[in-house]
Amino acid sequence: MNDDTTLNTDTHNTDKEQFERAALHYHSHPRPGKISVTPIKQLANQHDLALAYSPGVAVPCLEIQRDPTLAAKYTARSNLVGVITNGTAVLGLGNIGPLASKPVMEGKGVLFKKFAGIDVFDLEIAQDDPDKFIEAVAALEPTFGGINLEDIKAPECFKIERELRKRMNIPVFHDDQHGTSIIVAAAMLNALLITGKKIEDIKVICSGAGAAAISCLNIICALGVNKDNIYVSDSRGIITTSRENLDETKQLYARDTTATTIDELIDDVDMFLGLSMPGTLSADMVRRMAKDPIIFALANPTPEIMPEVAHAVRPDVIMATGRSDYPNQVNNALCFPYIFRGALDVGATTVNEEMKIACVRAIAAMAHVEATPMSNVKNIESTPSFGRDYLIPGPLEPNLIIEIASAVAKAAMDTGVATLPIDDLKAYRQSLSEFVYNSAFVMKPIFARAKSDPKRIVYCEGEDNNILLAVQVVVDEGLAHPILVGRPSVIKTNIEKLSLRLEDGVNITIVNIDDDPRYKDYWKGYYEKNKRNGVSIELARRDTRRKTSLIGSLLVNNGDADGMICGTFGHYHLHLKYVQNVIGKKEGVSDFYAMNAVLMQDRNIFIADTYIHEDPTAEQLAEMTVLAAEQLRRFSITPRVALVSHSNFGTSDRASAVKMRKVHELLTDMKVDFDFDGEMQGDAALDINIRAHDLPSSTLKGAANLLILPTVDAANISFNLLKTATGSATIGPILLGANKPVHILTPSATARRVVNMTALAVTEAQDLESEAANADL
C-alpha cells in the first residue's frame, strides 16, 4: 500500500514538474511573453512614413481636437482595452504584486484578441492605495476605449470600480466580479426553469463574501431573488446584523439570525452558491436541501463539494463548477470579451446594469439551442441540448460573440449610453458572424459533428511519426476509429519512441501490409477494375503490397473503412491516381478538384483549384465552385464566391479573363444558391470598398471567402504566399468530387492539419451514411 502511494505521489510530482517546465517554455519561447504590438498599416516608403507620422499625422490630430468622437475613426482607441491590475488578488495566488501578475494580464489580452478581436495593453500598476490607483487609471481615459480591472482584492475593488465608473466616460468592468456573476445568473435562470421554481421564492446560501460572491448576489437580486431569502457566510461564519466591523458590501447581506454556520441553515435551501474553498458543503448538507437542489460549487481547482459526491446523495441535484471536466462550467471567458465587443462597437460610455442583464439573458437563451448550431447536422440527438447538464453554453461556443455582443450593444443603445449607435442590428450581427469564422473556431462545428458519431478512418502512412502524433489526438478527442496501414513492428516501435498510448486492437487497428487476409481478394478486385488501364496481374499483386494509398483506397472501396487520409509523403498526383482508379468520382461529377483554406487573424479564405488542374475549363471551374461551396457549408460558413482574375469586370479580353467571365455565366444559368461575382481582381474580392467603386451593382456582399482561380499556378501560388506571409494555420488540401471521403495531404502537413482533415472526413462519412439511409426509405 505504502509503495503504491509513493509511486502515485512520484507520478503526480513528475507530471506537475513536466507541466511546470512546459508552462515556462511556453512563456519564454520563441519570444518571451504572449503578446506583441503589430502595425496594421503599410510603412514601405517615404510617402507612407509621411502619412503615418510627420507631417500627415497632424491632420487627424487636428480633426480629433475639433471633434473628440473622431478618435474612434482615426485611431485604434475604439478597439483598445486596458487590462489593469495592482496584483493584490491574482488567481489563486493571492497578493503576488504587479510584476508577478503580468503573465496573467498578458493571458487576458490573448483571450480578448482571440475571442473578440479586441486589442489590449496590459498595465500593472505598483500602487496598493485605492485612491492613488484610481487617480492613475482615471488619467488613462484618452488612451483606451474601455478598462478591464483584474485581480484586485476586496473590498478595495468595489471602491475602485465605483469611483472609476463615476469619473471615466468609457466602460469600466471588473471581470472578477461581474464576469462570474453574469455566468452564474444565466445558469441560475435555466436551473430554475428546469425545476419550475419561482425566482422570488427560492432560498439561497452563499459561501464566500469576496468580490465575485457579492457581485453574484447583486445580479441575482436584480433578476428577482428576494434579498431576505439570502444567507451569506464568510471565513468567520454567517454574516449577521450582530457582527461588528462589516464593510459596506457585507452589510447589504447581513441577516438578523442567531445561526453561525451553513450547516444550521441548509435545511430546505434551494440554491447553494460557493465561491470559497473545498469541503465547505458536505454530503449530509446536500441531502437536507430542498427538492431539485441547485449547487454552484465554484472554488477552483477543487470545488466546495465534488459533483459525484453530491449526485450520490441527491440524484436530483443540478450542479455547476468552475472546472472544464464537469458539465456546466462557469467560466468568465463566456462573457467578458463579448461584453466589451458590444460596448466598444457602439461607443458605450459605461457598462450599466441593463447591459449586464442583457448578457445574462443572451447566455441563458443560447443553452436552449443545440451546441454550435449548424444547418447540416444529421445527428441532432447526439449534440448537447438544454437540460440539467447543459445550463449554459461552453466557453468555446463560437456563436457567443454574435448573441452577447449584439444584445449588449442593443441594451447600450436602449439605455442611452451609446455614442456611436448602430443603425442596422441585423447587419451588425452578420459582421459578428463573420468574425466567428475568422479564428480557430472554424473547425469547431466539424469537431462537434465528428465526435457525435466517429467513423473508421484509414491513415495510409501509418508508420509516419507525424501521423501517429495526430492519431493520438484523434483517439483522445474521440474523433474517429483510426486504421493504420504499415508494418506492425515499425508502427509499434515508433509508438514507443513517441511515448504514445496507442495499442492495436484497443484504440487503433493496424493493417499489416505484409500479411493481410484480404490481400488476395483486394489485388484481384483491383486488377479486374483496372486491367484495361495498364494494370497487369503482377503489377496488381505488387502494388497491393507496396502502395499504401492503394491499400487505403481498397479498404474504403470495400467497406472496411469509411474514409481515408494519405499524402504525407510522395507526389499528390500519384496518390490521386489510386483514388481515381479504385474509389472514383462522385455520381454526376466529371472531375476531381483540390481546395485549401488559410485561417488568418482577420479572415478565412478558401482557394481552389490548388493542386489538380493545370488549366481548368470554365465548365470545370463552375463544377468545382459548386462542390467547394458545399464544403464551406459543412463548416457552417455561408459561401461568398469571387471569380478571380487579372481582369476587373471586363477590363481585359485575355483568355483567362474571358474564361472567368464564362464561369460567371455558367453559375448564373445554374441558379446556384450562393453569392458570387467576377471576374475580379484579388483586391476587389477581399475589399468591399474597391468593389463598390469599380462595380457598385456587384451582387457579392461582403468580403469573399471562396476564391476561384483560373489556373493551378495562380491558386497554388496564392495559397502558399498567403499561408507563409501571414503565418496562418491551414486546412487541406480538401479533395472535391470523390465518391468516398478521401483527402490527399502534402508532406508539409502538420499533425494538427491531419487531425482537422480527419474530422472533416468523418463528417463526410456521416453524410454518406445518412444519404444511403434516406435512399433506402
Side-chain angles (χ1 to χ4, degrees):
M1 180 69 73
N2 290 336
D3 289 343
D4 290 342
T5 302
T6 302
L7 179 61
N8 289 337
T9 303
D10 290 344
T11 301
H12 174 74
N13 289 338
T14 301
D15 290 343
K16 184 174 183 292
E17 290 169 2
Q18 289 177 345
F19 180 79
E20 289 174 350
R21 285 197 298 270
L24 292 175
H25 185 273
Y26 176 87
H27 282 81
S28 60
H29 292 81
R31 289 172 53 188
K34 297 192 286 285
I35 59 174
S36 69
V37 177
T38 305
I40 58 172
K41 298 294 170 63
Q42 191 173 14
L43 197 64
N45 51 48
Q46 186 62 38
H47 180 66
D48 291 342
L49 182 60
L51 291 174
Y53 201 57
S54 181
V57 73
V59 180
C61 288
L62 293 173
E63 286 294 294
I64 294 169
Q65 182 188 35
R66 178 182 60 82
D67 180 0
T69 64
L70 291 176
K73 181 176 182 180
Y74 296 123
T75 76
R77 181 176 184 263
S78 63
N79 195 52
L80 183 62
V81 166
V83 174
I84 304 179
T85 189
N86 61 6
T88 53
V90 180
L91 295 173
L93 304 176
N95 187 353
I96 62 173
L99 183 59
S101 76
K102 190 171 178 64
V104 181
M105 302 309 118
E106 286 188 356
K108 197 65 176 284
V110 171
L111 297 182
F112 267 109
K113 188 67 174 180
K114 190 69 173 178
F115 291 157
I118 294 171
D119 296 315
V120 162
F121 290 160
D122 64 290
L123 300 177
E124 296 74 30
I125 299 175
Q127 185 53 261
D128 289 354
D129 184 300
D131 293 320
K132 292 180 179 179
F133 185 88
I134 290 167
E135 290 297 326
V137 176
L140 296 169
E141 182 169 344
T143 301
F144 296 110
I147 301 293
N148 184 101
L149 299 172
E150 192 76 15
D151 292 349
I152 303 169
K153 70 183 179 72
E156 289 91 334
C157 62
F158 300 110
K159 176 182 178 180
I160 288 170
E161 187 194 40
R162 182 174 63 248
E163 293 303 314
L164 287 174
R165 289 184 64 183
K166 288 179 183 177
R167 294 180 55 173
M168 303 182 80
N169 204 36
I170 57 176
V172 177
F173 186 83
H174 185 205
D175 185 46
D176 298 321
Q177 294 182 56
H178 308 302
T180 300
S181 68
I182 286 167
I183 311 306
V184 163
M188 181 199 71
L189 289 179
N190 279 334
L192 292 177
L193 190 63
I194 290 170
T195 62
K197 296 181 180 181
K198 294 182 179 179
I199 192 169
E200 63 271 19
D201 295 336
I202 64 170
K203 181 180 177 182
V204 178
I205 283 184
C206 179
S207 175
I214 296 299
S215 184
C216 286
L217 297 175
N218 289 344
I219 201 165
I220 66 173
C221 286
L223 288 166
V225 174
N226 186 339
K227 189 168 72 173
D228 292 336
N229 291 340
I230 297 175
Y231 293 83
V232 182
S233 175
D234 63 8
S235 59
R236 294 171 54 195
I238 299 297
I239 298 174
T240 67
T241 53
S242 62
R243 286 255 300 263
E244 297 180 353
N245 301 320
L246 290 174
D247 63 59
E248 57 183 312
T249 58
K250 291 185 179 181
Q251 288 174 11
L252 289 171
Y253 295 99
R255 297 297 308 280
D256 184 11
T257 178
T258 58
T260 59
T261 66
I262 292 174
D263 187 59
E264 295 174 71
L265 295 167
I266 199 69
D267 289 351
D268 295 322
V269 163
D270 297 287
M271 178 177 177
F272 171 87
L273 175 60
L275 292 127
S276 54
M277 59 186 293
T280 306
L281 190 66
S282 69
D284 179 65
M285 294 180 193
V286 174
R287 189 180 289 111
R288 290 153 49 200
M289 290 178 70
K291 182 178 182 296
D292 292 316
I294 300 166
I295 296 176
F296 292 175
L298 306 181
N300 246 336
T302 307
E304 286 78 1
I305 186 170
M306 295 301 291
E308 53 267 28
V309 175
H311 283 289
V313 295
R314 290 297 296 270
D316 59 338
V317 70
I318 297 177
M319 280 213 68
T321 70
R323 292 172 50 145
S324 61
D325 54 344
Y326 290 100
N328 301 323
Q329 182 194 14
V330 174
N331 187 322
N332 289 11
L334 264 171
C335 68
F336 73 81
Y338 317 120
I339 288 178
F340 273 96
R341 181 74 279 159
L344 292 173
D345 288 342
V346 295
T349 58
T350 187
V351 175
N352 58 30
E353 292 306 304
E354 291 84 356
M355 293 161 72
K356 296 174 194 171
I357 295 297
C359 182
V360 169
R361 298 196 183 282
I363 293 172
M366 282 195 67
H368 293 264
V369 296
E370 67 273 10
T372 315
M374 295 170 286
S375 59
N376 62 341
V377 171
K378 301 296 191 300
N379 297 299
I380 293 294
E381 69 279 359
S382 64
T383 61
S385 58
F386 178 65
R388 291 171 180 264
D389 289 336
Y390 193 68
L391 298 175
I392 48 176
L396 295 179
E397 191 64 33
N399 288 337
L400 285 166
I401 189 172
I402 302 172
E403 301 302 331
I404 296 176
S406 58
V408 169
K410 184 177 186 301
M413 292 188 290
D414 290 345
T415 54
V417 299
T419 62
L420 301 170
I422 295 169
D423 294 329
D424 188 344
L425 272 174
K426 184 177 180 181
Y428 177 58
R429 285 177 61 88
Q430 176 60 32
S431 69
L432 293 172
S433 73
E434 292 177 6
F435 177 82
V436 168
Y437 300 105
N438 296 339
S439 70
F441 286 135
V442 72
M443 286 303 300
K444 183 75 165 70
I446 302 296
F447 274 75
R449 286 196 59 197
K451 290 180 181 182
S452 72
D453 185 17
K455 300 298 180 185
R456 301 165 300 167
I457 302 299
V458 57
Y459 300 84
C460 298
E461 292 86 27
E463 299 175 2
D464 183 70
N465 287 345
N466 208 37
I467 289 291
L468 292 172
L469 289 169
V471 167
Q472 184 67 71
V473 176
V474 168
V475 168
D476 290 343
E477 293 288 329
L479 296 172
H481 304 299
I483 301 171
L484 303 178
V485 176
R487 293 163 293 177
S489 60
V490 176
I491 293 174
K492 290 174 183 177
T493 298
N494 290 344
I495 287 172
E496 291 172 4
K497 285 181 181 178
L498 295 169
S499 299
L500 302 179
R501 292 163 282 105
L502 303 176
E503 186 176 350
D504 187 23
V506 178
N507 51 18
I508 61 171
T509 300
I510 296 176
V511 172
N512 186 350
I513 59 175
D514 294 325
D515 184 21
D516 189 281
R518 296 164 293 195
Y519 168 69
K520 185 175 181 180
D521 291 336
Y522 275 11
W523 79 253
K524 284 186 173 181
Y526 177 57
Y527 168 72
E528 287 298 326
K529 194 168 186 177
N530 291 278
K531 59 188 178 184
R532 294 185 179 275
N533 292 326
V535 176
S536 65
I537 291 176
E538 183 54 35
L539 184 63
R541 284 174 170 165
R542 188 170 68 246
D543 282 359
T544 306
R545 287 280 195 214
R546 296 188 316 167
K547 306 297 184 182
T548 57
S549 292
L550 171 58
I551 297 169
S553 297
L554 289 166
L555 284 164
V556 173
N557 192 62
N558 285 278
D560 295 319
D562 302 304
M564 180 176 107
I565 303 294
C566 66
T568 55
F569 60 80
H571 295 293
Y572 190 94
H573 282 271
L574 292 178
H575 298 283
L576 182 62
K577 180 183 74 171
Y578 294 118
V579 173
Q580 182 169 346
N581 289 347
V582 176
I583 292 174
K585 295 182 283 289
K586 188 182 298 184
E587 186 177 355
V589 172
S590 63
D591 222 323
F592 296 102
Y593 311 94
M595 175 172 70
N596 283 76
V598 183
L599 311 182
M600 294 184 285
Q601 184 65 43
D602 63 338
R603 69 185 77 211
N604 296 321
I605 298 177
F606 290 76
I607 301 172
D609 176 3
T610 45
Y611 282 98
I612 296 177
H613 294 283
E614 183 177 345
D615 186 11
T617 66
E619 289 76 13
Q620 287 175 318
L621 289 173
E623 179 179 71
M624 178 180 70
T625 303
V626 173
L627 293 171
E630 289 176 1
Q631 278 288 12
L632 261 68
R633 290 196 176 99
R634 191 179 299 280
F635 291 92
S636 293
I637 296 176
T638 301
R640 295 188 298 275
V641 181
L643 308 174
V644 183
S645 170
H646 71 279
S647 172
N648 219 30
F649 303 113
T651 57
S652 170
D653 285 328
R654 290 181 182 174
S656 63
V658 172
K659 176 169 69 173
M660 300 311 287
R661 285 202 288 277
K662 186 176 180 183
V663 176
H664 184 275
E665 294 173 4
L666 291 169
L667 292 174
T668 301
D669 292 342
M670 293 164 69
K671 295 182 171 55
V672 295
D673 59 348
F674 51 82
D675 290 343
F676 67 94
D677 209 347
E679 87 286 10
M680 68 179 74
Q681 294 172 349
D683 55 356
L686 302 180
D687 190 329
I688 188 173
N689 296 315
I690 293 174
R691 200 160 61 246
H693 179 270
D694 291 346
L695 190 69
S697 61
S698 174
T699 55
L700 182 60
K701 306 302 180 187
N705 52 28
L706 173 55
L707 307 183
I708 303 299
L709 281 297
T711 65
V712 74
D713 278 353
N716 192 276
I717 290 169
S718 297
F719 165 66
N720 282 296
L721 285 175
L722 281 173
K723 174 186 71 173
T724 305
T726 62
S728 299
T730 63
I731 300 173
I734 300 169
L735 184 62
L736 307 173
N739 194 39
K740 297 286 180 69
V742 175
H743 295 292
I744 305 169
L745 307 188
T746 59
S748 64
T750 63
R752 188 71 232 177
R753 196 172 355 148
V754 174
V755 173
N756 288 342
M757 296 305 295
T758 298
L760 182 62
V762 170
T763 64
E764 292 171 327
Q766 291 171 349
D767 286 345
L768 275 181
E769 185 177 82
S770 179
E771 290 167 10
N774 291 334
D776 292 338
L777 294 178

